[in-house]
Amino acid sequence: MSSDEAYAAFLNQANQASSSSASTTAASFPSAAPSAHSITNAPIPTELRHVDAYYTSEADEPFEPVSLRWAGGTLPSETEFLALIAATGAVEILAPEEFDASGAYQNVVEAVSTVSKSGVRVFRVSQGSRVVYFVLGLDARADGLVGFMARAVES
């Protein structure tokens, strides 16, 4: 009987350690950029609500629609974009072809292109192995940026 109790205690301890490390990982993930919900401050175009795509990485996260108020008139620079999303980390601007060389995310880029009055630009915000990709264009309806964001883990 004692060995059963010891084994149960061992399992409980292992499950507690696993749960706390998983919550630590989840809590630290948004440090590269805030969530789509927290940065979306303008209406999301209907055309973006129906895109079902996932960014393939160690995390396989969905592309989430975002809409940001931006009165700059042109797509933001790296510095302006970090300030806009209130994030820390390194930011890099990519052409859609660099971001999606294999064509796996063509539906994402095309959806942004249909609601944008400018070209599509990809912002890669990274902090260590945690990365958030923003596929954005200038909103054709109002001042702002519209598109998608997807989280990735790249080690």
Side-chain angles (χ1 to χ4, degrees):
M1 188 76 165
S2 172
S3 63
D4 288 341
E5 291 170 2
Y7 182 67
F10 167 77
L11 289 177
N12 287 335
Q13 184 179 9
N15 286 335
Q16 287 175 353
S18 174
S19 298
S20 67
S21 71
S23 65
T24 301
T25 301
S28 65
F29 192 74
S31 62
S35 69
H37 178 70
S38 70
I39 64 170
T40 295
N41 57 16
I44 294 173
T46 305
E47 298 88 340
L48 299 183
R49 294 180 187 270
H50 304 292
V51 174
D52 184 28
Y54 285 77
Y55 185 80
T56 304
S57 75
E58 294 173 34
D60 292 343
E61 294 284 332
F63 281 94
E64 301 174 78
V66 294
S67 182
L68 308 163
R69 287 193 183 104
W70 172 253
T74 61
L75 291 167
S77 68
E78 293 97 332
T79 306
E80 292 170 326
F81 186 69
L82 274 179
L84 179 65
I85 63 170
T88 59
V91 65
E92 177 183 6
I93 293 176
L94 305 170
E97 304 79 40
E98 292 175 281
F99 166 69
D100 186 21
S102 67
Y105 311 114
Q106 186 175 358
N107 62 333
V108 171
V109 174
E110 287 176 357
V112 175
S113 184
T114 62
V115 297
S116 173
K117 64 181 176 185
S118 69
V120 176
R121 184 177 285 173
V122 179
F123 295 87
R124 181 184 185 273
V125 180
S126 63
Q127 192 170 50
S129 64
R130 307 214 183 268
V131 178
V132 182
Y133 288 98
F134 291 86
V135 182
L136 300 171
L138 288 174
D139 192 338
R141 306 162 303 147
D143 286 341
L145 301 171
V146 290
F148 294 96
M149 68 175 279
R151 299 175 186 282
V153 176
E154 299 174 349
S155 55

